[in-house]
Amino acid sequence: MVAYSHPSQSGPCRILSFDKEKCVGCNSCVNVCPSDVMMPHPERGREPIVVFAEECWYCGGCVEECPHGALTLVTPAKQRLSTVWMRKETGEEFRVGMKNPLPPNLTPPSGNR
Amino acid sequence: MNWHEYVAETGKVPQWPYELGYDKETVVSCDVLVVGGGVAGCRAAISARQRGVSVVVMDRGFSKRSGEGGAGVDHWHGAVTNPCSKVTPRMYSEAAMDTTDGFTNGLARYVIGKEGYDTLLEVEKMGVQIRDEDDEYKGSIFRDDETKLMFAYDIENKHCLRIYGYNIKPCVDREMRRLGVQVFDRTCVTSLLTEGGRQGARVIGATGVNDRTGEFIVVKAKAVIISAGRTNRLWGFAPELTESQSMCNLNQTALGNTIGWRAGAEFVGMEMSGRAVLSGLGYAPYSTGNNNNTYQGAPTVDRNGKDVYYANAYGKLLYDEADIFKASDENSFIIGHGIGLDNGYKPQYRITTTDPELWKKVMAGEYEQPFYNDMTKLPATSRRMIFGLMLAHEGKCRVPIYQNLTKWGFDPDKDLLQYPVQDYSRFPIDTSWCGPENTPANWRGGGGGYLVDWRLQTSLPGLFAAGCGPIFGHGCHGESHTSGRYSGRQAALYARQNEAVEPDADQIRRERERCYAPIRTNGDVGWKELNYAIAKIMQDYCGDYKTEYTLDMGIRRMNDLYETEGQRMYASNPHELVRAIESLSLCELGIAYMEAAKARRGSVKGLGFFRNDYPEYDEAQKKLIPISLKDGQVHTRDLSLYYHLEAPYSSDLEENYQQFAALDI
């Protein structure tokens, strides 16, 4: 096993998760990002590289832009921990990023486009 | 993948992927240049282009999503001419002036009132849904069944509309590009070009640097519109900590204002600054329990299920959902939140909010934290309107909130969303995710902007302003579309009436040298280190405590920082170079804020301005103090708060509008 020395970022640096099965390396996400936090991978067809993670403002524009649904915006841990809800009927507590997730709520947003 | 994974996989640091062009210069000419491709800038570009002039936009990001409004919008202020509205443009402008004791922009508010709804109807044609077309909310108290428009904040006066704006920026961007506007994306503006290179002269173009290639861009123009003026990095800067809490992204450095300051334009209201609740150390916007703004009307309960009630502006508790959306005075209307009037709403214009006695009741043991939003108590249509419409369409909500929460199973039909547990003594619970408890008191946000005339022209000929950052006393998303659209018309007219002037070669050469210094110098100070230091100076010397003595100290510190560490910067690639240029510009902007605070020798309530060496509130301070640079020296004068209704203008709002609005262009 090889290790490399590199600076350790103080904030979250794995802010985007790419589904490698779905990503075709089209770089739509790279090009739409207002803060230019990613760069194209030097190898064609590969998922982009997140270089300036701490400059992301979590707008989700990249996720909306991805034509293949390959991209997930990863909420920072401290915010996963602060987005908490309670099921009224049972009193159970849940949060974003919980260990045993609930089934997703599939209700689409309001609006027809 | 992230950078670390790439290094681990390849054993290499990735090379810069774009061709470097530090020595390259692109020069273009146009009739109208728009600096800033957010919603105001794009609307300005569209409206100028529709009048047949050539238009270039310089955008720091990528105009499909860039700017504060790039991530969506859920309600539209100032739609006062919609067929259901009981508010008139005159009422809108006069209420804004009244509630701030005159410290807002009466003429911009009037223009917004006159044209806000028309501006929205154009967005509808571009592809944004603004009505309940599918009758999902039929019968709701928030809906007009004939027009299918839906109302926010005030269901009796009906001037603020709920819209489905998550895709508004891509729609506006598509229309702008379809019309043939030339867009320089990824380009940070660095300076304005003026006739003869002189401070205070006509503006005839601008320069910029591309954040991928590092190339230098010179745009010559007959008229220039500034639509880039919000700042988020001056008092508060800690990107490693703030993460997604911020409602303003790091691109927002008010460079549009700084370049105008350097060019000699007059600014007003720069002395005003308030606690920077939106850029502080809170929670992801809209991610926690709330009962204000987008969550207005959402019921709150404590941990034992005990109801927390809304109250009107006079403290009367409200038990009926419909009453939450009615003005506290039946002869007035609720202006609405988030349009730059937050310094002091008078009760007759205020939104309803939490029981003002709540914190006392918590301390007396009547309520126990945490609080929760219990939307199950709402009629199904109201619940759906808050979560499915507002929270799915508001800026930074579609992906980070709606998709995220539903993916993890949140269901407003069954679940209670928790408020943060904190000390709510200093505010009625409203936007809990950015409450003042989360932000240090000396992290502030600056107000103020260009002084503008009835054409939204600044004090410099050929330079116009649009949107909520550049224009003093201007509101948020919808209002920015409207002033953008108006300024585009005005700049097109100016470009038709004025010949192009060749810029001064020496001015361009000097600007190039300044911009590329971090590459040449390769010093020991990075953009972030400089930015931290700038923020520290602002926190210390332009925070709550201000005297002439400490402001002078702050100005001295900032000049010293600029001349010392600011001249020893490094940048490893064009991205860092542009960030370095932004940070350096923040030194100048900070000085402008401190000079403005120094120039106002007195404290005044409407502006929310307090000077410790003039602790008495002073009626004589109810005036504007335009401030500018002339031959490098600070120059100030006094101006009436009602300058837009005094000579050379008419005393009547409508007469001025008819004379200056360029309606036949």
Side-chain angles (χ1 to χ4, degrees):
Chain A
M1 192 165 172
V2 187
Y4 295 94
S5 54
H6 49 61
S8 131
Q9 279 170 270
S10 39
C13 59
R14 304 192 177 195
I15 56 168
L16 290 170
S17 145
F18 295 88
D19 183 334
K20 287 179 192 170
E21 299 291 306
K22 291 180 182 166
C23 176
V24 300
C26 71
N27 294 316
S28 299
C29 53
V30 177
N31 290 327
V32 84
C33 174
S35 305
D36 225 359
V37 306
M38 291 167 264
M39 58 176 264
H41 196 289
E43 230 176 278
R44 274 181 77 126
R46 293 287 307 272
E47 73 278 17
I49 307 170
V50 177
V51 185
F52 304 107
E54 76 287 3
E55 295 175 38
C56 172
W57 81 308
Y58 294 78
C59 68
C62 53
V63 175
E64 287 182 64
E65 193 69 11
C66 180
H68 306 286
L71 207 48
T72 307
L73 185 67
V74 184
T75 313
K78 80 175 184 211
Q79 295 175 353
R80 298 199 290 268
L81 266 300
S82 57
T83 303
V84 178
W85 60 90
M86 187 171 76
R87 190 129 294 184
K88 190 172 185 178
E89 207 171 88
T90 62
E92 292 166 282
E93 220 177 38
F94 305 103
R95 70 164 171 98
V96 168
M98 68 193 107
K99 204 182 284 172
N100 301 306
L102 286 164
N105 169 5
L106 300 173
T107 316
S110 191
N112 58 22
R113 51 201 89 167
Chain B
M1 64 170 50
N2 66 78
W3 186 85
H4 300 77
E5 287 172 307
Y6 180 84
V7 173
E9 188 185 298
T10 62
K12 292 182 201 155
V13 171
Q15 249 189 26
W16 192 247
Y18 311 105
E19 197 180 330
L20 291 178
Y22 292 137
D23 48 4
K24 200 175 154 199
E25 183 171 301
T26 300
V27 182
V28 295
S29 298
C30 61
D31 293 318
V32 173
L33 166 66
V34 181
V35 173
V39 292
C42 290
R43 295 306 299 267
I46 289 169
S47 104
R49 186 75 193 104
Q50 282 169 335
R51 282 153 183 88
V53 298
S54 63
V55 182
V56 168
V57 170
M58 213 184 252
D59 186 32
R60 176 68 182 85
F62 184 74
S63 60
K64 189 170 182 181
R65 279 290 178 193
S66 58
E68 202 175 0
V73 65
D74 66 336
H75 60 291
W76 190 276
H77 288 276
V80 304
T81 62
N82 85 72
C84 308
S85 169
K86 292 182 190 164
V87 177
T88 64
R90 182 181 306 277
M91 287 162 68
Y92 191 67
S93 173
E94 288 177 354
M97 288 295 277
D98 182 28
T99 204
T100 55
D101 284 339
F103 283 103
T104 190
N105 197 315
L107 67 88
R109 303 283 180 190
Y110 192 72
V111 165
I112 288 157
K114 288 292 286 187
E115 302 189 6
Y117 182 60
D118 294 342
T119 305
L120 178 63
L121 291 178
E122 287 181 6
V123 165
E124 185 180 29
K125 285 196 195 118
M126 293 176 204
V128 178
Q129 186 179 349
I130 68 163
R131 299 166 206 272
D132 178 23
E133 294 164 5
D134 305 322
D135 298 331
E136 190 178 9
Y137 301 102
K138 203 167 182 179
S140 158
I141 56 171
F142 303 102
R143 180 184 195 261
D144 173 62
D145 286 340
E146 197 175 320
T147 60
K148 304 191 179 188
L149 293 172
M150 292 183 295
F151 314 105
Y153 295 122
D154 188 329
I155 56 170
E156 290 186 320
N157 293 295
K158 302 179 167 63
H159 56 291
C160 186
L161 301 177
R162 303 187 195 227
I163 64 167
Y164 305 72
Y166 85 102
N167 63 342
I168 196 163
K169 194 76 199 300
C171 289
V172 169
D173 179 61
R174 187 176 59 213
E175 177 65 3
M176 175 175 77
R177 291 177 192 255
R178 187 186 74 78
L179 289 170
V181 170
Q182 187 182 4
V183 185
F184 283 90
D185 288 304
R186 310 284 174 203
T187 303
C188 175
V189 69
T190 71
S191 75
L192 288 174
L193 299 171
T194 49
E195 197 165 353
R198 292 187 308 275
Q199 202 166 51
R202 178 183 163 198
V203 173
I204 50 168
T207 60
V209 174
N210 183 289
D211 96 333
R212 290 185 168 181
T213 64
E215 72 183 277
F216 195 64
I217 290 150
V218 177
V219 182
K220 305 175 188 176
K222 293 175 186 167
V224 177
I225 299 168
I226 299 288
S227 47
R230 291 276 280 202
T231 181
N232 183 39
R233 278 166 48 184
L234 194 51
W235 275 266
F237 180 70
E240 293 84 350
L241 294 175
T242 48
E243 298 158 358
S244 64
Q245 288 97 331
S246 168
M247 276 302 278
C248 328
N249 68 41
L250 290 181
N251 290 348
Q252 292 175 326
T253 54
L255 247 163
N257 288 4
T258 308
I259 56 174
W261 168 255
R262 206 189 298 144
E266 281 191 313
F267 285 79
V268 284
M270 301 282 280
E271 59 274 33
M272 177 176 75
S273 66
R275 284 187 75 164
V277 291
L278 290 181
S279 54
L281 299 164
Y283 304 85
Y286 310 96
S287 71
T288 60
N290 259 292
N291 62 353
N292 170 268
N293 191 275
T294 286
Y295 284 81
Q296 184 77 12
T300 298
V301 296
D302 82 342
R303 66 156 283 216
N304 303 310
K306 186 172 177 182
D307 289 306
V308 174
Y309 293 103
Y310 279 83
N312 76 5
Y314 302 102
K316 185 188 162 211
L317 296 184
L318 307 170
Y319 303 105
D320 183 25
E321 189 193 18
D323 290 338
I324 295 165
F325 294 88
K326 288 177 187 164
S328 301
D329 280 309
E330 53 188 46
N331 296 321
S332 187
F333 66 96
I334 295 174
I335 294 179
H337 243 204
I339 51 169
L341 302 171
D342 300 339
N343 243 333
Y345 279 102
K346 293 183 178 168
Q348 63 268 36
Y349 307 115
R350 215 175 278 163
I351 57 165
T352 57
T353 183
T354 312
D355 175 2
E357 301 291 308
L358 181 66
W359 188 247
K360 260 189 222 161
K361 293 175 183 172
V362 170
M363 297 311 279
E366 285 178 51
Y367 285 103
E368 272 189 84
Q369 292 203 66
F371 296 111
Y372 294 90
N373 273 140
D374 183 354
M375 289 188 262
T376 69
K377 289 175 181 277
L378 289 172
T381 48
S382 302
R383 185 162 63 237
R384 174 78 173 146
M385 200 176 275
I386 293 176
F387 193 69
L389 199 171
M390 307 289 273
L391 276 162
H393 289 271
E394 169 65 319
K396 289 189 61 173
C397 282
R398 170 58 62 103
V399 172
I401 303 300
Y402 190 86
Q403 286 184 8
N404 203 18
L405 263 69
T406 52
K407 177 184 155 192
W408 288 96
F410 175 76
D411 184 346
D413 297 349
K414 301 176 186 161
D415 295 321
L416 314 187
L417 188 62
Q418 192 195 309
Y419 284 68
V421 176
Q422 54 185 341
D423 174 355
Y424 289 106
S425 60
R426 283 194 287 154
F427 61 114
I429 298 170
D430 44 34
T431 35
S432 62
W433 50 267
C434 66
E437 288 306 324
N438 298 304
T439 311
N442 56 357
W443 278 41
R444 300 177 78 85
Y450 286 94
L451 176 66
V452 290
D453 66 13
W454 270 97
R455 296 192 186 278
L456 296 185
Q457 187 170 212
T458 71
S459 65
L460 299 183
L463 186 68
F464 296 80
C468 63
I471 299 178
F472 162 66
H474 182 295
C476 65
H477 192 116
E479 294 200 350
S480 293
H481 280 256
T482 309
S483 65
R485 176 176 174 270
Y486 183 91
S487 71
R489 209 157 73 216
Q490 299 290 353
L493 175 65
Y494 186 94
R496 274 193 209 161
Q497 292 172 339
N498 291 274
E499 293 298 315
V501 174
E502 192 56 25
D504 181 57
D506 204 42
Q507 187 178 27
I508 295 173
R509 184 188 53 74
R510 283 199 311 270
E511 181 59 10
R512 267 197 79 120
E513 271 175 28
R514 191 186 74 86
C515 288
Y516 294 95
I519 302 293
R520 269 198 324 275
T521 313
N522 194 22
D524 59 349
V525 180
W527 72 271
K528 282 187 184 171
E529 186 177 4
L530 194 79
N531 206 147
Y532 290 126
I534 292 164
K536 183 47 74 188
I537 293 172
M538 295 306 286
Q539 291 160 15
D540 284 358
Y541 298 103
C542 203
D544 279 337
Y545 182 91
K546 292 188 204 73
T547 64
E548 178 135 351
Y549 191 80
T550 58
L551 286 163
D552 267 332
M553 288 174 80
I555 293 165
R556 219 159 53 229
R557 297 276 182 283
M558 199 69 94
N559 272 316
D560 181 38
L561 181 70
Y562 186 91
E563 286 162 14
T564 311
E565 282 82 358
Q567 304 308 310
R568 291 209 315 263
M569 297 189 79
Y570 67 85
S572 319
N573 52 52
H575 184 98
E576 286 188 1
L577 173 64
V578 165
R579 292 283 186 224
I581 291 169
E582 289 172 339
S583 289
L584 267 173
S585 80
L586 288 169
C587 290
E588 292 173 89
L589 185 71
I591 289 168
Y593 275 113
M594 289 187 280
E595 289 287 3
K598 197 180 135 187
R600 188 176 284 280
R601 293 184 179 84
S603 297
V604 61
K605 262 190 185 153
L607 193 57
F609 182 77
F610 185 76
R611 278 270 299 256
N612 296 70
D613 43 355
Y614 300 95
E616 304 294 323
Y617 286 108
D618 182 357
E619 283 296 304
Q621 285 295 324
K622 289 190 173 175
K623 61 182 178 187
L624 295 172
I625 305 179
I627 183 168
S628 60
L629 291 175
K630 281 185 182 169
D631 301 322
Q633 300 298 308
V634 173
H635 184 87
T636 61
R637 65 185 174 107
D638 288 353
L639 184 69
S640 162
L641 293 170
Y642 288 85
Y643 73 95
H644 62 297
L645 297 174
E646 294 172 8
Y649 304 121
S650 155
S651 59
D652 182 67
L653 286 162
E654 181 62 18
E655 273 181 30
N656 288 311
Y657 176 77
Q658 290 300 333
Q659 187 181 345
F660 295 105
L663 293 167
D664 51 350
I665 297 302

